[in-house]
């Protein structure tokens, strides 16, 4: 007899699969539910990814607080009616340019929130607030698109409460014209802002990342089932974990959706301690904020991307600053920001081609003005309230 | 269907239970653990019965499961923790030196010790060939290895045993 066989038989004679263990085994198979190791692993990873995906869609719950005021005593009803009359009754090119040169974004935000530090708001319910703000939004788009063409409804309103009553109808009519440019509240804008780096990725990259994760999950399961070397089992896990980093790493949030966020981003980008938001405006795909910190003054620019208005750049100045955006088709959009206490009443731009444009402002008042010009070289002339040129 | 499966399981436990426990013991050197691993083997076998297509015999199929269960156990943290605990206990007690133990061992005990200390890939073939009395073809099927690999491992395993025992014996198999 084989010696090894004999030795092992002798040594292991006592080894028995006892009757108790056999009975226990039968009980176990009758009670035990089927467990397949890779399934819980895949399920856990899948659920994790799903939760992270959903978390990218949930807006941050951070409470909005306002940090600055220059116009807290301005009555919202008066400011609103001034703007509505301006927008409703445009017959000349000059009135149109004047209307389009200013933004009512701060007014929209004041209506929406009801507690703006720029405007003193009357008691309104949330639907009235939204309708009034939406009307401003569509009115600007109408004028920007159709110029001085008459509005498609009766505009003989005289009081704020006339507009309040008619606003739902006006909004409905105008929204039919511009259904691809809906009004967005600041909360809706916040909802568009990605919370994680995954959310900030393009859709193509997101799909690519998810496919990569799924591929390596399958590879991991296959490796586990095939009992391959531990190292090869770990590699997919390491890659999966690396792929999951964008799901949990917070995105560098430099989006401006209200007055507070403008200040927060500006303070972060310009390394400021404190500061005052003097004015803010939104023109099409760009948003601007005028900020003063002691003697320093800045205009910060946010450019619209697929998630909202993202910080782009800033420019410093003393009494005024200027930004320009190339609009294509040979036109430029010039944005002038005048800080509180400035001495100017008029700025005249004279192009090399002879084109002349005048911008009228109120001395001492902070304002942001937009002018669209042909792509040319311009010289600037500044005048005080008495009409004297300031060198 | 379920009753049929249970009958097959009972039959397998009666026929191969003891040998499966002994096989597991060669890996884990603890009868209680060996019996637990044998139970795990039969549970896996029971679950696999619907997929079992008689391409191999129940015997080779069962031993394949048992070897895999033992390998998984040896790779587990549970086993590593036990090994560390035992090592520490041995170091603390240290009643007999290793030299003393070896001197007191009979030749047969030394052979068992040498087999149990073989690396798993050599232990697999030695145990299946000599103890379970499988043919090399059956081992090839059980371990899912090419026949030549089985032959090579058997040769090297015997060389290792001979070297360890310093006897240079040639361990011929039963087949």
């Amino acid at each position: 007899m084989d010696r090894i066989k004999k030795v092992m038989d002798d040594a292991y004679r006592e080894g028995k699969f006892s009757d108790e263990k056999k009975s226990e085994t039968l009980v176990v198979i009758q009670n035990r539910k089927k467990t397949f190791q890779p399934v819980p692993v895949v399920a856990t990873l899948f659920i994790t990814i799903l939760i992270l995906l959903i978390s990218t869609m949930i807006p941050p719950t951070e409470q909005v607080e306002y940090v600055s005021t220059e116009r807290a005593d301005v009555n919202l009803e008066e400011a609103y009616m001034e703007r509505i009359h301006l927008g409703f009754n445009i017959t000349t090119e000059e009135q149109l340019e004047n209307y389009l040169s200013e933004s009512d974004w701060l007014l929209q935000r004041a209506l929406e929130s009801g507690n703006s530090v720029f405007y003193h708001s009357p008691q309104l319910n949330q639907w009235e607030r939204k309708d009034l703000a939406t009307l401003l939004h569509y009115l600007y788009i109408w004028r920007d698109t159709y110029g001085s063409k008459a509005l498609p409804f009766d505009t003989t309103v005289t009081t704020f409460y006339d507009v309040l009553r008619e606003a739902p109808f006006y909004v409905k009519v105008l929204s039919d014209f511009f259904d691809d440019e809906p009004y967005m509240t600041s909360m809706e804008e916040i909802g568009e802002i990605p919370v994680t780096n995954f959310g900030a990725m393009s859709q193509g990259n997101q799909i690519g990342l998810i496919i990569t994760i799924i591929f390596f999950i399958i590879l991991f399961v296959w490796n586990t089932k095939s009992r391959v070397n531990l190292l090869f089992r770990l590699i997919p896990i390491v890659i999966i974990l690396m792929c999951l980093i964008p799901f949990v790493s917070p995105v560098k949030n430099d989006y401006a959706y209200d007055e507070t966020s403008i200040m927060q981003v500006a303070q972060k980008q310009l390394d400021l301690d404190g500061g005052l938001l003097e004015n803010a405006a939104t023109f099409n795909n760009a948003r601007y904020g005028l900020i003063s910190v002691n003697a320093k003054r800045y205009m910060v620019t946010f450019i619209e991307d697929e998630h909202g208005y993202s910080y782009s750049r800033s420019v410093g100045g003393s009494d005024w600053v200027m930004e320009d955006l190339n609009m294509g088709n040979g036109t430029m959009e010039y944005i002038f920001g005048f800080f509180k206490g400035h001495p100017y009443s008029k700025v005249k731009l004279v192009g090399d081609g002879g084109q002349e444009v005048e911008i009228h402002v109120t001395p001492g008042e902070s304002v942001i003005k937009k002018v669209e010009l042909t792509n040319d070289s311009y010289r600037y002339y500044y005048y005080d309230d008495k009409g004297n040129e300031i060198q | 269907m379920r009753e049929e499966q249970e009958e097959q399981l009972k039959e397998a436990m009666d026929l191969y239970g003891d040998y499966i426990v002994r096989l597991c013991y060669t890996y884990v050197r603890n009868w209680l653990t060996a019996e637990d691993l044998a139970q795990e083997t039969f549970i896996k076998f029971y679950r696999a019965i619907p997929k079992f297509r008689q391409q191999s015999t129940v015997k080779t199929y069962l031993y394949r499961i048992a070897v895999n269960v033992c390998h998984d156990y040896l790779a587990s943290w549970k086993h590593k923790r036990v090994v560390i605990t035992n090592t520490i206990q041995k170091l603390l007690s240290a009643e007999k030196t290793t030299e003393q133990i070896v001197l007191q061992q009979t030749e047969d005990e030394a052979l068992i010790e040498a087999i149990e200390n073989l690396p798993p890939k050599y232990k697999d073939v030695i145990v299946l060939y000599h103890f379970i009395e499988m043919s090399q073809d059956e081992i090839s099927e059980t371990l899912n290895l090419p026949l030549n690999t089985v032959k090579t491992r058997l040769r090297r395993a015997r060389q290792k045993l001979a070297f360890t025992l310093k006897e240079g014996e040639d361990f011929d198999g039963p087949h």
Side-chain angles (χ1 to χ4, degrees):
Chain A
M1 188 183 185
D2 172 23
R3 186 186 162 199
I4 295 178
K5 168 75 175 164
K6 183 177 174 299
V7 167
M8 290 181 88
D9 276 344
D10 289 343
Y12 300 138
R13 192 177 296 120
E14 64 177 290
K16 300 274 183 199
F17 195 53
S18 63
D19 290 339
E20 293 78 24
K21 205 70 179 174
K22 286 176 189 172
S23 305
E24 190 187 309
T25 306
L26 289 170
V27 172
V28 169
I29 59 157
Q30 283 158 1
N31 298 334
R32 197 161 154 181
K33 287 181 179 174
K34 191 176 176 180
T35 55
F36 177 56
Q37 287 299 326
V39 171
V41 173
V42 174
T44 308
L45 283 170
F46 180 74
I47 291 166
T48 307
I49 292 168
L50 204 64
I51 290 168
L52 291 168
L53 274 170
I54 292 166
S55 71
T56 60
M57 297 168 191
I58 300 170
T61 53
E62 190 182 335
Q63 288 297 310
V64 176
E65 55 183 78
Y66 294 90
V67 292
S68 63
T69 174
E70 278 302 297
R71 303 179 180 177
D73 56 341
V74 176
N75 187 296
L76 186 140
E77 290 152 294
E78 289 174 15
Y80 190 83
M81 287 313 292
E82 188 184 330
R83 187 70 181 162
I84 285 291
H85 282 308
L86 207 58
F88 274 18
N89 305 303
I90 288 174
T91 51
T92 67
E93 197 61 28
E94 191 181 345
Q95 285 173 329
L96 181 67
E97 281 177 11
N98 184 32
Y99 173 77
L100 292 176
S101 71
E102 286 201 48
S103 159
D104 41 40
W105 181 71
L106 274 181
L107 201 51
Q108 291 174 29
R109 286 288 171 261
L111 277 162
E112 183 199 308
S113 68
N115 65 350
S116 167
V117 291
F118 285 87
Y119 297 96
H120 176 70
S121 173
Q123 289 292 320
L124 300 166
N125 67 41
Q126 60 170 324
W127 306 115
E128 291 171 331
R129 292 186 180 285
K130 186 161 186 188
D131 281 338
L132 291 172
T134 309
L135 176 59
L136 286 178
H137 168 75
Y138 282 131
L139 184 57
Y140 190 92
I141 300 175
W142 176 275
R143 289 305 177 202
D144 201 25
T145 309
Y146 298 115
S148 55
K149 183 181 173 183
L151 287 157
F153 46 73
D154 180 20
T155 56
T156 52
V157 283
T158 51
T159 68
F160 177 77
Y161 292 94
D162 289 339
V163 181
L164 184 62
R165 191 181 59 249
E166 298 295 330
F169 170 69
Y170 295 159
V171 167
K172 187 178 179 308
V173 172
L174 291 174
S175 64
D176 288 341
F177 287 88
F178 310 108
D179 57 356
D180 56 339
E181 295 179 75
Y183 173 72
M184 285 184 78
T185 65
S186 59
M187 288 309 289
E188 285 167 341
E189 283 194 30
I190 291 170
E192 297 286 314
I193 298 170
V195 180
T196 63
N197 278 311
F198 177 79
M201 286 178 179
S202 68
Q203 202 173 32
N205 287 345
Q206 286 179 340
I207 292 167
L209 187 65
I210 290 169
I211 289 171
T212 307
I213 290 169
I214 292 168
F215 171 78
F216 281 103
I217 288 173
I218 292 166
L219 188 64
F220 168 72
V221 173
W222 186 80
N223 282 350
T224 306
K225 286 179 77 177
S226 308
R227 291 185 166 76
V228 298
N229 187 298
L230 183 66
L231 179 69
F232 288 102
R233 271 189 266 173
L234 283 177
I235 288 171
I237 290 291
V238 172
I239 294 170
I240 290 167
L241 289 175
M242 286 169 69
C243 289
L244 289 176
I245 291 172
F247 287 91
V248 290
S249 58
V251 74
K252 192 179 75 174
N253 191 346
D254 284 335
Y255 287 91
Y257 46 85
D258 62 9
E259 298 95 317
T260 305
S261 58
I262 290 176
M263 283 302 295
Q264 285 170 340
V265 175
Q267 285 173 347
K268 181 176 142 191
Q269 291 289 342
L270 302 171
D271 201 19
L272 303 176
D273 289 326
L276 182 72
L277 181 67
E278 290 193 7
N279 210 324
T282 302
F283 295 108
N284 301 318
N285 62 343
R287 184 164 287 165
Y288 306 90
L290 282 184
I291 291 161
S292 61
V293 187
N294 301 323
K296 294 176 185 170
R297 275 126 182 233
Y298 305 93
M299 181 154 71
V300 286
T301 302
F302 301 85
I303 302 296
E304 191 176 18
D305 61 25
E306 59 185 307
H307 303 296
Y309 289 86
S310 170
Y311 176 82
S312 171
R313 56 189 179 271
S314 65
V315 57
S318 53
D319 291 326
W320 68 281
V321 288
M322 191 198 75
E323 268 288 7
D324 55 53
L325 285 177
N326 194 331
M327 305 299 287
N329 301 325
T331 60
M332 295 286 285
E333 193 174 85
Y334 290 87
I335 308 294
F336 291 87
F338 294 89
F339 293 96
K340 187 187 169 197
H342 71 86
Y344 310 109
S345 65
K346 185 175 77 175
V347 179
K348 188 161 79 175
L349 284 76
V350 180
D352 288 347
Q355 187 184 10
E356 279 193 19
V357 176
E358 289 186 354
I359 302 166
H360 296 273
V361 291
T362 307
E365 274 188 19
S366 174
V367 69
I368 298 173
K369 290 262 189 180
K370 180 196 82 168
V371 188
E372 275 185 37
L373 296 167
T374 53
N375 197 353
D376 201 352
S377 293
Y378 291 91
R379 282 167 288 145
Y380 304 91
Y381 301 94
Y382 301 90
Y383 300 89
D384 63 17
D385 56 346
K386 293 179 181 134
N388 301 318
E389 187 179 347
I390 299 173
Q391 295 297 326
Chain B
M1 179 68 183
R2 189 171 170 161
E3 284 170 7
E4 200 178 310
Q5 274 181 247
E6 284 184 18
E7 277 308 311
Q8 277 184 271
L9 176 67
K10 280 180 196 167
E11 195 182 337
M13 286 195 292
D14 290 338
L15 270 175
Y16 303 107
D18 295 348
Y19 268 97
I20 296 284
V21 171
R22 290 168 195 169
L23 172 81
C24 293
Y25 181 84
T26 64
Y27 289 90
V28 297
R29 296 196 212 173
N30 179 300
W31 287 116
L32 285 176
T33 310
E35 212 174 7
D36 286 343
L37 293 180
Q39 185 185 48
E40 188 65 32
T41 301
F42 285 114
I43 291 168
K44 288 193 172 184
F45 171 72
Y46 173 79
R47 286 203 214 113
I49 287 172
K51 291 185 281 183
F52 183 60
R53 292 176 185 174
Q54 310 291 340
Q55 285 170 334
S56 57
T57 64
V58 171
K59 179 185 167 187
T60 55
Y61 196 56
L62 259 176
Y63 282 114
R64 181 191 296 174
I65 296 171
V67 168
N68 286 336
V69 164
C70 291
H71 284 188
D72 288 347
Y73 176 78
L74 293 177
S76 71
W77 283 108
K78 187 181 172 186
H79 167 68
K80 289 185 171 70
R81 202 171 58 235
V82 170
V83 169
I84 291 166
T85 310
N86 289 345
T87 307
I88 291 168
Q89 279 174 351
K90 278 180 188 172
L91 284 171
L92 290 174
S93 62
E95 287 175 0
K96 292 178 182 177
T97 64
T98 311
E99 193 180 353
Q100 284 172 320
I101 293 167
V102 170
L103 285 172
Q104 287 171 10
Q105 278 181 331
T106 64
E107 278 186 10
D108 287 351
E109 285 169 342
L111 178 57
I112 291 292
E113 177 94 11
I115 291 168
E116 289 175 352
N117 282 331
L118 279 174
K121 64 179 181 180
Y122 296 122
K123 196 191 292 180
D124 293 344
V125 289
I126 280 288
V127 171
L128 292 177
Y129 188 74
H130 290 282
F131 183 49
I132 308 298
E133 296 183 306
M134 278 187 177
S135 68
Q136 291 181 349
D137 285 332
E138 284 175 321
I139 296 173
S140 165
E141 190 187 330
T142 302
L143 299 179
N144 201 18
L145 290 171
L147 183 60
N148 282 336
T149 306
V150 172
K151 286 177 180 172
T152 307
R153 285 189 184 177
L154 256 179
R155 191 176 65 248
R156 286 188 186 157
R158 286 172 187 150
Q159 284 169 350
K160 276 181 178 290
L161 286 178
F163 180 78
T164 308
L165 298 170
K166 296 182 180 175
E167 288 179 4
E169 286 186 47
D170 187 19
F171 296 102
D172 290 327
H175 304 286

